Amino acid sequence: REKRCMLRMHYIARAKPIEDERTNRVQHVAPGTWYYKVPVKSATNDKWLEMRKGAREMVYGREDEDNEHHIVPLRTSRGKAGGLNFVENYMVVVAEREENQYAGGDDNPQNSAPCLFSIADARHQFQHDFMASTIPYFFDPSGSLNLKVAFTQCPQHFHESQDKTDYLDTNNASFFRLNCMIRNCSGGVSSCGTNGTWMICHKSPSTIWEHQRGRVRDRETKSKILEIVERRTFHESCKVEDTASSLQAVVQGRHSQFINRKLSYGMAKAAVGYLAATQRWAEGGVVLSLQTLTSFREQGHWMVFVTLLFFAAFVASLLRLINIDDANAEWVVVKLGLLSSETMEVLLTP
């Protein structure tokens, strides 16, 4: 039974409907997009795969809209994040089936406990003690499950790339051996996708469909309408879905754990492929920064702006040190009367 389940999941994840390459891709359902219909009142997780079988391409725009069904895009992302979200939703549906539940049904807390979701890229292979070394990091010293731990991350390791000849740093040694060790002191290590294990806690009861605020405003109400999409645990809005998902977990009050052990071995990319990956990381970082700065209303994003204010104060204090010999100079905010000279002295004193 388990083998048949995994083969079916592999087939569905790779299945691709015929698409017209002349159609521009959009975020939600529009002409040229494949979609399926979900009942407004009676949608349950066990009917998810059955409803996906009825997927069809929207041709004219609004021919299938009605008040009794939601229209849901078949795929909101063609990248790695879209595949991860599909598999996570699929595994939840399979785990909720009666034959896969623990004895006791809803009264058994094991049936509603969080799940662990480990990610391994095709070029990586977990070692035999990966889970035995990873799972304890999700518990506190007393042995209780720590729901504040969002994920763990262990370093990537490519055996053929030795440190003496790894000029391109394909092992990411500067990140794992320096950056992660420092950031782990505050629980702020970023996920690298592969070799990461996430503790996923879905609200109970919940379905695999969720609402998102659309980008287009309604012509009559002038407000953004709510759209229905499949649940997205991992970010699909930029190229660095691992970093974006990490940031989302941190601003929601959770933290990470770094495991400084070689628990997964992999095959290194060619030099050209690795340089292309660094370009993708740089582009994704810029997009993620702009998305974060323009979504200040989201939960926890105010902390990012507080960090920027502290950084600006740090830069201002450095400028003050450089110009310390000019004792009579006044800051612009003091001249404008926004702050007193005593307050500026307290703020800028290193």
PDB file of all heavy atoms in Angstrom, residues 42-78:
ATOM      1  N   SER A  42     -19.236  22.504   1.375  1.00  0.00           N
ATOM      2  CA  SER A  42     -19.014  21.092   1.696  1.00  0.00           C
ATOM      3  C   SER A  42     -17.645  20.575   1.254  1.00  0.00           C
ATOM      4  O   SER A  42     -17.487  19.389   0.972  1.00  0.00           O
ATOM      5  CB  SER A  42     -20.102  20.237   1.046  1.00  0.00           C
ATOM      6  OG  SER A  42     -20.092  20.422  -0.374  1.00  0.00           O
ATOM      7  N   ALA A  43     -16.646  21.433   1.187  1.00  0.00           N
ATOM      8  CA  ALA A  43     -15.316  21.006   0.751  1.00  0.00           C
ATOM      9  C   ALA A  43     -14.574  20.350   1.908  1.00  0.00           C
ATOM     10  O   ALA A  43     -14.459  20.917   2.991  1.00  0.00           O
ATOM     11  CB  ALA A  43     -14.534  22.202   0.235  1.00  0.00           C
ATOM     12  N   THR A  44     -14.092  19.138   1.704  1.00  0.00           N
ATOM     13  CA  THR A  44     -13.311  18.414   2.701  1.00  0.00           C
ATOM     14  C   THR A  44     -12.028  17.901   2.066  1.00  0.00           C
ATOM     15  O   THR A  44     -11.956  17.721   0.839  1.00  0.00           O
ATOM     16  CB  THR A  44     -14.105  17.237   3.278  1.00  0.00           C
ATOM     17  OG1 THR A  44     -14.529  16.381   2.204  1.00  0.00           O
ATOM     18  CG2 THR A  44     -15.320  17.723   4.065  1.00  0.00           C
ATOM     19  N   ASN A  45     -11.039  17.638   2.903  1.00  0.00           N
ATOM     20  CA  ASN A  45      -9.743  17.218   2.396  1.00  0.00           C
ATOM     21  C   ASN A  45      -9.803  15.888   1.650  1.00  0.00           C
ATOM     22  O   ASN A  45      -9.050  15.671   0.686  1.00  0.00           O
ATOM     23  CB  ASN A  45      -8.744  17.108   3.548  1.00  0.00           C
ATOM     24  CG  ASN A  45      -8.339  18.467   4.089  1.00  0.00           C
ATOM     25  OD1 ASN A  45      -8.656  19.497   3.503  1.00  0.00           O
ATOM     26  ND2 ASN A  45      -7.635  18.470   5.209  1.00  0.00           N
ATOM     27  N   ASP A  46     -10.668  14.969   2.077  1.00  0.00           N
ATOM     28  CA  ASP A  46     -10.716  13.662   1.439  1.00  0.00           C
ATOM     29  C   ASP A  46     -11.257  13.727   0.011  1.00  0.00           C
ATOM     30  O   ASP A  46     -11.119  12.761  -0.750  1.00  0.00           O
ATOM     31  CB  ASP A  46     -11.546  12.692   2.282  1.00  0.00           C
ATOM     32  CG  ASP A  46     -12.968  13.198   2.503  1.00  0.00           C
ATOM     33  OD1 ASP A  46     -13.185  14.420   2.398  1.00  0.00           O
ATOM     34  OD2 ASP A  46     -13.848  12.378   2.776  1.00  0.00           O
ATOM     35  N   LYS A  47     -11.870  14.849  -0.375  1.00  0.00           N
ATOM     36  CA  LYS A  47     -12.379  15.013  -1.743  1.00  0.00           C
ATOM     37  C   LYS A  47     -11.416  15.799  -2.629  1.00  0.00           C
ATOM     38  O   LYS A  47     -11.717  16.042  -3.801  1.00  0.00           O
ATOM     39  CB  LYS A  47     -13.725  15.737  -1.708  1.00  0.00           C
ATOM     40  CG  LYS A  47     -14.805  15.036  -0.892  1.00  0.00           C
ATOM     41  CD  LYS A  47     -15.191  13.713  -1.522  1.00  0.00           C
ATOM     42  CE  LYS A  47     -16.327  13.055  -0.744  1.00  0.00           C
ATOM     43  NZ  LYS A  47     -16.710  11.743  -1.339  1.00  0.00           N
ATOM     44  N   TRP A  48     -10.270  16.169  -2.090  1.00  0.00           N
ATOM     45  CA  TRP A  48      -9.349  17.057  -2.810  1.00  0.00           C
ATOM     46  C   TRP A  48      -8.866  16.445  -4.118  1.00  0.00           C
ATOM     47  O   TRP A  48      -8.991  17.047  -5.193  1.00  0.00           O
ATOM     48  CB  TRP A  48      -8.161  17.385  -1.901  1.00  0.00           C
ATOM     49  CG  TRP A  48      -7.068  18.167  -2.558  1.00  0.00           C
ATOM     50  CD1 TRP A  48      -7.185  19.326  -3.253  1.00  0.00           C
ATOM     51  CD2 TRP A  48      -5.676  17.837  -2.577  1.00  0.00           C
ATOM     52  NE1 TRP A  48      -5.966  19.766  -3.707  1.00  0.00           N
ATOM     53  CE2 TRP A  48      -5.009  18.859  -3.300  1.00  0.00           C
ATOM     54  CE3 TRP A  48      -4.927  16.799  -2.044  1.00  0.00           C
ATOM     55  CZ2 TRP A  48      -3.629  18.850  -3.503  1.00  0.00           C
ATOM     56  CZ3 TRP A  48      -3.550  16.793  -2.242  1.00  0.00           C
ATOM     57  CH2 TRP A  48      -2.925  17.812  -2.972  1.00  0.00           C
ATOM     58  N   LEU A  49      -8.310  15.245  -4.052  1.00  0.00           N
ATOM     59  CA  LEU A  49      -7.778  14.610  -5.267  1.00  0.00           C
ATOM     60  C   LEU A  49      -8.877  14.323  -6.279  1.00  0.00           C
ATOM     61  O   LEU A  49      -8.660  14.415  -7.486  1.00  0.00           O
ATOM     62  CB  LEU A  49      -7.036  13.330  -4.894  1.00  0.00           C
ATOM     63  CG  LEU A  49      -5.772  13.519  -4.054  1.00  0.00           C
ATOM     64  CD1 LEU A  49      -5.173  12.167  -3.685  1.00  0.00           C
ATOM     65  CD2 LEU A  49      -4.748  14.360  -4.799  1.00  0.00           C
ATOM     66  N   GLU A  50     -10.061  13.981  -5.787  1.00  0.00           N
ATOM     67  CA  GLU A  50     -11.178  13.716  -6.699  1.00  0.00           C
ATOM     68  C   GLU A  50     -11.567  14.995  -7.444  1.00  0.00           C
ATOM     69  O   GLU A  50     -11.869  14.953  -8.643  1.00  0.00           O
ATOM     70  CB  GLU A  50     -12.361  13.175  -5.904  1.00  0.00           C
ATOM     71  CG  GLU A  50     -13.489  12.638  -6.761  1.00  0.00           C
ATOM     72  CD  GLU A  50     -13.100  11.366  -7.499  1.00  0.00           C
ATOM     73  OE1 GLU A  50     -12.214  10.645  -7.010  1.00  0.00           O
ATOM     74  OE2 GLU A  50     -13.684  11.124  -8.574  1.00  0.00           O
ATOM     75  N   MET A  51     -11.556  16.126  -6.747  1.00  0.00           N
ATOM     76  CA  MET A  51     -11.909  17.389  -7.408  1.00  0.00           C
ATOM     77  C   MET A  51     -10.833  17.830  -8.390  1.00  0.00           C
ATOM     78  O   MET A  51     -11.133  18.426  -9.425  1.00  0.00           O
ATOM     79  CB  MET A  51     -12.152  18.462  -6.346  1.00  0.00           C
ATOM     80  CG  MET A  51     -13.456  18.295  -5.595  1.00  0.00           C
ATOM     81  SD  MET A  51     -13.823  19.639  -4.445  1.00  0.00           S
ATOM     82  CE  MET A  51     -12.677  19.264  -3.128  1.00  0.00           C
ATOM     83  N   ARG A  52      -9.588  17.515  -8.084  1.00  0.00           N
ATOM     84  CA  ARG A  52      -8.504  17.879  -9.014  1.00  0.00           C
ATOM     85  C   ARG A  52      -8.603  17.118 -10.327  1.00  0.00           C
ATOM     86  O   ARG A  52      -8.086  17.569 -11.354  1.00  0.00           O
ATOM     87  CB  ARG A  52      -7.142  17.625  -8.359  1.00  0.00           C
ATOM     88  CG  ARG A  52      -6.749  18.685  -7.331  1.00  0.00           C
ATOM     89  CD  ARG A  52      -5.419  18.331  -6.686  1.00  0.00           C
ATOM     90  NE  ARG A  52      -4.331  18.352  -7.646  1.00  0.00           N
ATOM     91  CZ  ARG A  52      -3.484  19.365  -7.822  1.00  0.00           C
ATOM     92  NH1 ARG A  52      -3.632  20.459  -7.104  1.00  0.00           N
ATOM     93  NH2 ARG A  52      -2.518  19.287  -8.706  1.00  0.00           N
ATOM     94  N   LYS A  53      -9.240  15.940 -10.292  1.00  0.00           N
ATOM     95  CA  LYS A  53      -9.388  15.175 -11.529  1.00  0.00           C
ATOM     96  C   LYS A  53     -10.248  15.906 -12.549  1.00  0.00           C
ATOM     97  O   LYS A  53     -10.132  15.675 -13.752  1.00  0.00           O
ATOM     98  CB  LYS A  53      -9.999  13.806 -11.229  1.00  0.00           C
ATOM     99  CG  LYS A  53      -9.086  12.863 -10.468  1.00  0.00           C
ATOM    100  CD  LYS A  53      -9.770  11.523 -10.245  1.00  0.00           C
ATOM    101  CE  LYS A  53      -8.884  10.567  -9.471  1.00  0.00           C
ATOM    102  NZ  LYS A  53      -9.565   9.252  -9.236  1.00  0.00           N
ATOM    103  N   GLY A  54     -11.131  16.779 -12.068  1.00  0.00           N
ATOM    104  CA  GLY A  54     -12.001  17.517 -12.976  1.00  0.00           C
ATOM    105  C   GLY A  54     -11.414  18.829 -13.450  1.00  0.00           C
ATOM    106  O   GLY A  54     -12.174  19.722 -13.868  1.00  0.00           O
ATOM    107  N   ALA A  55     -10.092  18.969 -13.372  1.00  0.00           N
ATOM    108  CA  ALA A  55      -9.456  20.221 -13.791  1.00  0.00           C
ATOM    109  C   ALA A  55      -9.674  20.465 -15.279  1.00  0.00           C
ATOM    110  O   ALA A  55      -9.711  19.541 -16.088  1.00  0.00           O
ATOM    111  CB  ALA A  55      -7.968  20.186 -13.472  1.00  0.00           C
ATOM    112  N   ARG A  56      -9.823  21.719 -15.623  1.00  0.00           N
ATOM    113  CA  ARG A  56     -10.036  22.111 -17.018  1.00  0.00           C
ATOM    114  C   ARG A  56      -9.394  23.471 -17.260  1.00  0.00           C
ATOM    115  O   ARG A  56      -9.049  24.184 -16.325  1.00  0.00           O
ATOM    116  CB  ARG A  56     -11.535  22.167 -17.331  1.00  0.00           C
ATOM    117  CG  ARG A  56     -12.294  23.072 -16.385  1.00  0.00           C
ATOM    118  CD  ARG A  56     -13.790  22.908 -16.524  1.00  0.00           C
ATOM    119  NE  ARG A  56     -14.264  23.348 -17.838  1.00  0.00           N
ATOM    120  CZ  ARG A  56     -15.540  23.370 -18.180  1.00  0.00           C
ATOM    121  NH1 ARG A  56     -16.464  22.954 -17.313  1.00  0.00           N
ATOM    122  NH2 ARG A  56     -15.902  23.801 -19.365  1.00  0.00           N
ATOM    123  N   GLU A  57      -9.230  23.808 -18.502  1.00  0.00           N
ATOM    124  CA  GLU A  57      -8.614  25.084 -18.862  1.00  0.00           C
ATOM    125  C   GLU A  57      -9.689  26.151 -19.032  1.00  0.00           C
ATOM    126  O   GLU A  57     -10.705  25.918 -19.694  1.00  0.00           O
ATOM    127  CB  GLU A  57      -7.823  24.949 -20.159  1.00  0.00           C
ATOM    128  CG  GLU A  57      -7.111  26.227 -20.569  1.00  0.00           C
ATOM    129  CD  GLU A  57      -6.370  26.072 -21.883  1.00  0.00           C
ATOM    130  OE1 GLU A  57      -6.502  25.008 -22.521  1.00  0.00           O
ATOM    131  OE2 GLU A  57      -5.657  27.016 -22.280  1.00  0.00           O
ATOM    132  N   MET A  58      -9.477  27.306 -18.432  1.00  0.00           N
ATOM    133  CA  MET A  58     -10.402  28.420 -18.632  1.00  0.00           C
ATOM    134  C   MET A  58     -10.142  29.038 -20.001  1.00  0.00           C
ATOM    135  O   MET A  58      -9.019  29.418 -20.320  1.00  0.00           O
ATOM    136  CB  MET A  58     -10.238  29.472 -17.529  1.00  0.00           C
ATOM    137  CG  MET A  58     -11.155  30.666 -17.708  1.00  0.00           C
ATOM    138  SD  MET A  58     -11.215  31.773 -16.281  1.00  0.00           S
ATOM    139  CE  MET A  58     -12.249  30.826 -15.167  1.00  0.00           C
ATOM    140  N   VAL A  59     -11.183  29.116 -20.784  1.00  0.00           N
ATOM    141  CA  VAL A  59     -11.038  29.566 -22.171  1.00  0.00           C
ATOM    142  C   VAL A  59     -11.488  31.004 -22.350  1.00  0.00           C
ATOM    143  O   VAL A  59     -10.763  31.837 -22.888  1.00  0.00           O
ATOM    144  CB  VAL A  59     -11.829  28.644 -23.121  1.00  0.00           C
ATOM    145  CG1 VAL A  59     -11.666  29.104 -24.565  1.00  0.00           C
ATOM    146  CG2 VAL A  59     -11.359  27.202 -22.961  1.00  0.00           C
ATOM    147  N   TYR A  60     -12.691  31.323 -21.862  1.00  0.00           N
ATOM    148  CA  TYR A  60     -13.268  32.628 -22.157  1.00  0.00           C
ATOM    149  C   TYR A  60     -13.266  33.585 -20.981  1.00  0.00           C
ATOM    150  O   TYR A  60     -13.567  34.757 -21.146  1.00  0.00           O
ATOM    151  CB  TYR A  60     -14.697  32.459 -22.667  1.00  0.00           C
ATOM    152  CG  TYR A  60     -14.762  31.663 -23.936  1.00  0.00           C
ATOM    153  CD1 TYR A  60     -15.285  30.379 -23.935  1.00  0.00           C
ATOM    154  CD2 TYR A  60     -14.270  32.184 -25.129  1.00  0.00           C
ATOM    155  CE1 TYR A  60     -15.337  29.626 -25.099  1.00  0.00           C
ATOM    156  CE2 TYR A  60     -14.310  31.431 -26.297  1.00  0.00           C
ATOM    157  CZ  TYR A  60     -14.851  30.161 -26.276  1.00  0.00           C
ATOM    158  OH  TYR A  60     -14.894  29.429 -27.418  1.00  0.00           O
ATOM    159  N   GLY A  61     -12.976  33.108 -19.783  1.00  0.00           N
ATOM    160  CA  GLY A  61     -12.844  34.045 -18.675  1.00  0.00           C
ATOM    161  C   GLY A  61     -13.782  33.783 -17.520  1.00  0.00           C
ATOM    162  O   GLY A  61     -13.351  33.468 -16.438  1.00  0.00           O
ATOM    163  N   ARG A  62     -15.101  33.882 -17.720  1.00  0.00           N
ATOM    164  CA  ARG A  62     -16.031  33.793 -16.601  1.00  0.00           C
ATOM    165  C   ARG A  62     -17.163  32.815 -16.897  1.00  0.00           C
ATOM    166  O   ARG A  62     -18.249  32.926 -16.348  1.00  0.00           O
ATOM    167  CB  ARG A  62     -16.605  35.170 -16.279  1.00  0.00           C
ATOM    168  CG  ARG A  62     -15.541  36.220 -15.993  1.00  0.00           C
ATOM    169  CD  ARG A  62     -16.148  37.544 -15.575  1.00  0.00           C
ATOM    170  NE  ARG A  62     -16.866  37.427 -14.321  1.00  0.00           N
ATOM    171  CZ  ARG A  62     -17.454  38.465 -13.713  1.00  0.00           C
ATOM    172  NH1 ARG A  62     -17.399  39.670 -14.268  1.00  0.00           N
ATOM    173  NH2 ARG A  62     -18.086  38.305 -12.576  1.00  0.00           N
ATOM    174  N   GLU A  63     -16.895  31.811 -17.740  1.00  0.00           N
ATOM    175  CA  GLU A  63     -17.990  30.938 -18.152  1.00  0.00           C
ATOM    176  C   GLU A  63     -18.413  29.968 -17.048  1.00  0.00           C
ATOM    177  O   GLU A  63     -19.530  29.461 -17.061  1.00  0.00           O
ATOM    178  CB  GLU A  63     -17.583  30.131 -19.396  1.00  0.00           C
ATOM    179  CG  GLU A  63     -16.470  29.102 -19.146  1.00  0.00           C
ATOM    180  CD  GLU A  63     -15.090  29.673 -19.250  1.00  0.00           C
ATOM    181  OE1 GLU A  63     -14.967  30.905 -19.260  1.00  0.00           O
ATOM    182  OE2 GLU A  63     -14.136  28.891 -19.318  1.00  0.00           O
ATOM    183  N   ASP A  64     -17.544  29.722 -16.055  1.00  0.00           N
ATOM    184  CA  ASP A  64     -17.863  28.725 -15.033  1.00  0.00           C
ATOM    185  C   ASP A  64     -18.051  29.325 -13.649  1.00  0.00           C
ATOM    186  O   ASP A  64     -18.134  28.598 -12.669  1.00  0.00           O
ATOM    187  CB  ASP A  64     -16.757  27.668 -14.967  1.00  0.00           C
ATOM    188  CG  ASP A  64     -17.038  26.513 -15.919  1.00  0.00           C
ATOM    189  OD1 ASP A  64     -18.160  26.475 -16.446  1.00  0.00           O
ATOM    190  OD2 ASP A  64     -16.142  25.691 -16.131  1.00  0.00           O
ATOM    191  N   GLU A  65     -18.107  30.620 -13.522  1.00  0.00           N
ATOM    192  CA  GLU A  65     -18.267  31.227 -12.205  1.00  0.00           C
ATOM    193  C   GLU A  65     -19.719  31.095 -11.736  1.00  0.00           C
ATOM    194  O   GLU A  65     -20.649  31.331 -12.487  1.00  0.00           O
ATOM    195  CB  GLU A  65     -17.866  32.704 -12.254  1.00  0.00           C
ATOM    196  CG  GLU A  65     -16.369  32.917 -12.452  1.00  0.00           C
ATOM    197  CD  GLU A  65     -15.980  34.376 -12.333  1.00  0.00           C
ATOM    198  OE1 GLU A  65     -16.857  35.190 -12.008  1.00  0.00           O
ATOM    199  OE2 GLU A  65     -14.805  34.703 -12.568  1.00  0.00           O
ATOM    200  N   ASP A  66     -19.889  30.718 -10.466  1.00  0.00           N
ATOM    201  CA  ASP A  66     -21.206  30.655  -9.860  1.00  0.00           C
ATOM    202  C   ASP A  66     -21.057  30.885  -8.367  1.00  0.00           C
ATOM    203  O   ASP A  66     -19.943  30.935  -7.837  1.00  0.00           O
ATOM    204  CB  ASP A  66     -21.900  29.314 -10.145  1.00  0.00           C
ATOM    205  CG  ASP A  66     -21.077  28.130  -9.659  1.00  0.00           C
ATOM    206  OD1 ASP A  66     -20.926  27.992  -8.437  1.00  0.00           O
ATOM    207  OD2 ASP A  66     -20.587  27.355 -10.509  1.00  0.00           O
ATOM    208  N   ASN A  67     -22.170  31.011  -7.679  1.00  0.00           N
ATOM    209  CA  ASN A  67     -22.152  31.339  -6.251  1.00  0.00           C
ATOM    210  C   ASN A  67     -21.975  30.121  -5.357  1.00  0.00           C
ATOM    211  O   ASN A  67     -21.836  30.275  -4.140  1.00  0.00           O
ATOM    212  CB  ASN A  67     -23.454  32.053  -5.875  1.00  0.00           C
ATOM    213  CG  ASN A  67     -23.599  33.389  -6.581  1.00  0.00           C
ATOM    214  OD1 ASN A  67     -22.601  34.081  -6.831  1.00  0.00           O
ATOM    215  ND2 ASN A  67     -24.832  33.761  -6.901  1.00  0.00           N
ATOM    216  N   GLU A  68     -21.996  28.921  -5.902  1.00  0.00           N
ATOM    217  CA  GLU A  68     -21.920  27.710  -5.098  1.00  0.00           C
ATOM    218  C   GLU A  68     -20.538  27.078  -5.116  1.00  0.00           C
ATOM    219  O   GLU A  68     -20.302  26.116  -4.373  1.00  0.00           O
ATOM    220  CB  GLU A  68     -22.953  26.696  -5.586  1.00  0.00           C
ATOM    221  CG  GLU A  68     -24.395  27.183  -5.451  1.00  0.00           C
ATOM    222  CD  GLU A  68     -25.383  26.148  -5.921  1.00  0.00           C
ATOM    223  OE1 GLU A  68     -24.921  25.093  -6.414  1.00  0.00           O
ATOM    224  OE2 GLU A  68     -26.588  26.383  -5.798  1.00  0.00           O
ATOM    225  N   HIS A  69     -19.639  27.575  -5.949  1.00  0.00           N
ATOM    226  CA  HIS A  69     -18.313  26.984  -6.058  1.00  0.00           C
ATOM    227  C   HIS A  69     -17.234  28.067  -6.097  1.00  0.00           C
ATOM    228  O   HIS A  69     -17.486  29.178  -6.573  1.00  0.00           O
ATOM    229  CB  HIS A  69     -18.188  26.124  -7.325  1.00  0.00           C
ATOM    230  CG  HIS A  69     -19.057  24.907  -7.328  1.00  0.00           C
ATOM    231  ND1 HIS A  69     -20.375  24.953  -7.716  1.00  0.00           N
ATOM    232  CD2 HIS A  69     -18.798  23.612  -6.984  1.00  0.00           C
ATOM    233  CE1 HIS A  69     -20.895  23.732  -7.623  1.00  0.00           C
ATOM    234  NE2 HIS A  69     -19.955  22.909  -7.176  1.00  0.00           N
ATOM    235  N   HIS A  70     -16.081  27.714  -5.576  1.00  0.00           N
ATOM    236  CA  HIS A  70     -14.880  28.516  -5.765  1.00  0.00           C
ATOM    237  C   HIS A  70     -14.074  27.911  -6.907  1.00  0.00           C
ATOM    238  O   HIS A  70     -14.084  26.693  -7.116  1.00  0.00           O
ATOM    239  CB  HIS A  70     -14.014  28.522  -4.502  1.00  0.00           C
ATOM    240  CG  HIS A  70     -14.649  29.187  -3.324  1.00  0.00           C
ATOM    241  ND1 HIS A  70     -15.012  30.524  -3.320  1.00  0.00           N
ATOM    242  CD2 HIS A  70     -14.975  28.706  -2.096  1.00  0.00           C
ATOM    243  CE1 HIS A  70     -15.538  30.831  -2.146  1.00  0.00           C
ATOM    244  NE2 HIS A  70     -15.533  29.750  -1.386  1.00  0.00           N
ATOM    245  N   ILE A  71     -13.386  28.766  -7.638  1.00  0.00           N
ATOM    246  CA  ILE A  71     -12.466  28.256  -8.660  1.00  0.00           C
ATOM    247  C   ILE A  71     -11.045  28.390  -8.121  1.00  0.00           C
ATOM    248  O   ILE A  71     -10.632  29.435  -7.618  1.00  0.00           O
ATOM    249  CB  ILE A  71     -12.634  29.010  -9.997  1.00  0.00           C
ATOM    250  CG1 ILE A  71     -12.536  30.525  -9.803  1.00  0.00           C
ATOM    251  CG2 ILE A  71     -13.948  28.652 -10.655  1.00  0.00           C
ATOM    252  CD1 ILE A  71     -12.599  31.294 -11.121  1.00  0.00           C
ATOM    253  N   VAL A  72     -10.289  27.291  -8.208  1.00  0.00           N
ATOM    254  CA  VAL A  72      -8.955  27.207  -7.611  1.00  0.00           C
ATOM    255  C   VAL A  72      -7.955  26.873  -8.701  1.00  0.00           C
ATOM    256  O   VAL A  72      -8.162  25.919  -9.467  1.00  0.00           O
ATOM    257  CB  VAL A  72      -8.908  26.127  -6.513  1.00  0.00           C
ATOM    258  CG1 VAL A  72      -7.529  26.077  -5.868  1.00  0.00           C
ATOM    259  CG2 VAL A  72      -9.976  26.394  -5.465  1.00  0.00           C
ATOM    260  N   PRO A  73      -6.867  27.620  -8.835  1.00  0.00           N
ATOM    261  CA  PRO A  73      -5.857  27.289  -9.849  1.00  0.00           C
ATOM    262  C   PRO A  73      -5.219  25.945  -9.545  1.00  0.00           C
ATOM    263  O   PRO A  73      -4.962  25.608  -8.389  1.00  0.00           O
ATOM    264  CB  PRO A  73      -4.849  28.442  -9.749  1.00  0.00           C
ATOM    265  CG  PRO A  73      -5.029  28.988  -8.371  1.00  0.00           C
ATOM    266  CD  PRO A  73      -6.480  28.806  -8.040  1.00  0.00           C
ATOM    267  N   LEU A  74      -4.973  25.176 -10.590  1.00  0.00           N
ATOM    268  CA  LEU A  74      -4.392  23.848 -10.408  1.00  0.00           C
ATOM    269  C   LEU A  74      -2.984  23.947  -9.837  1.00  0.00           C
ATOM    270  O   LEU A  74      -2.585  23.148  -8.994  1.00  0.00           O
ATOM    271  CB  LEU A  74      -4.373  23.100 -11.736  1.00  0.00           C
ATOM    272  CG  LEU A  74      -4.059  21.609 -11.671  1.00  0.00           C
ATOM    273  CD1 LEU A  74      -5.123  20.881 -10.876  1.00  0.00           C
ATOM    274  CD2 LEU A  74      -3.953  21.021 -13.070  1.00  0.00           C
ATOM    275  N   ARG A  75      -2.230  24.912 -10.290  1.00  0.00           N
ATOM    276  CA  ARG A  75      -0.872  25.115  -9.787  1.00  0.00           C
ATOM    277  C   ARG A  75      -0.609  26.610  -9.678  1.00  0.00           C
ATOM    278  O   ARG A  75      -0.794  27.340 -10.649  1.00  0.00           O
ATOM    279  CB  ARG A  75       0.168  24.483 -10.721  1.00  0.00           C
ATOM    280  CG  ARG A  75       0.088  22.978 -10.820  1.00  0.00           C
ATOM    281  CD  ARG A  75       1.205  22.432 -11.675  1.00  0.00           C
ATOM    282  NE  ARG A  75       1.177  22.979 -13.027  1.00  0.00           N
ATOM    283  CZ  ARG A  75       2.145  22.797 -13.921  1.00  0.00           C
ATOM    284  NH1 ARG A  75       3.211  22.129 -13.585  1.00  0.00           N
ATOM    285  NH2 ARG A  75       2.039  23.297 -15.127  1.00  0.00           N
ATOM    286  N   THR A  76      -0.193  27.053  -8.511  1.00  0.00           N
ATOM    287  CA  THR A  76       0.158  28.465  -8.349  1.00  0.00           C
ATOM    288  C   THR A  76       1.649  28.688  -8.501  1.00  0.00           C
ATOM    289  O   THR A  76       2.099  29.828  -8.511  1.00  0.00           O
ATOM    290  CB  THR A  76      -0.283  28.965  -6.963  1.00  0.00           C
ATOM    291  OG1 THR A  76       0.269  28.111  -5.954  1.00  0.00           O
ATOM    292  CG2 THR A  76      -1.798  28.954  -6.846  1.00  0.00           C
ATOM    293  N   SER A  77       2.431  27.623  -8.585  1.00  0.00           N
ATOM    294  CA  SER A  77       3.871  27.775  -8.768  1.00  0.00           C
ATOM    295  C   SER A  77       4.401  26.566  -9.521  1.00  0.00           C
ATOM    296  O   SER A  77       4.042  25.430  -9.228  1.00  0.00           O
ATOM    297  CB  SER A  77       4.596  27.891  -7.423  1.00  0.00           C
ATOM    298  OG  SER A  77       5.999  27.873  -7.605  1.00  0.00           O
ATOM    299  N   ARG A  78       5.261  26.803 -10.499  1.00  0.00           N
ATOM    300  CA  ARG A  78       5.896  25.723 -11.244  1.00  0.00           C
ATOM    301  C   ARG A  78       7.292  25.419 -10.721  1.00  0.00           C
ATOM    302  O   ARG A  78       8.020  24.634 -11.302  1.00  0.00           O
ATOM    303  CB  ARG A  78       5.967  26.088 -12.734  1.00  0.00           C
ATOM    304  CG  ARG A  78       4.600  26.179 -13.366  1.00  0.00           C
ATOM    305  CD  ARG A  78       4.690  26.872 -14.716  1.00  0.00           C
ATOM    306  NE  ARG A  78       3.405  26.843 -15.394  1.00  0.00           N
ATOM    307  CZ  ARG A  78       2.406  27.669 -15.131  1.00  0.00           C
ATOM    308  NH1 ARG A  78       2.535  28.575 -14.180  1.00  0.00           N
ATOM    309  NH2 ARG A  78       1.279  27.586 -15.790  1.00  0.00           N
TER     310      ARG A  78
END
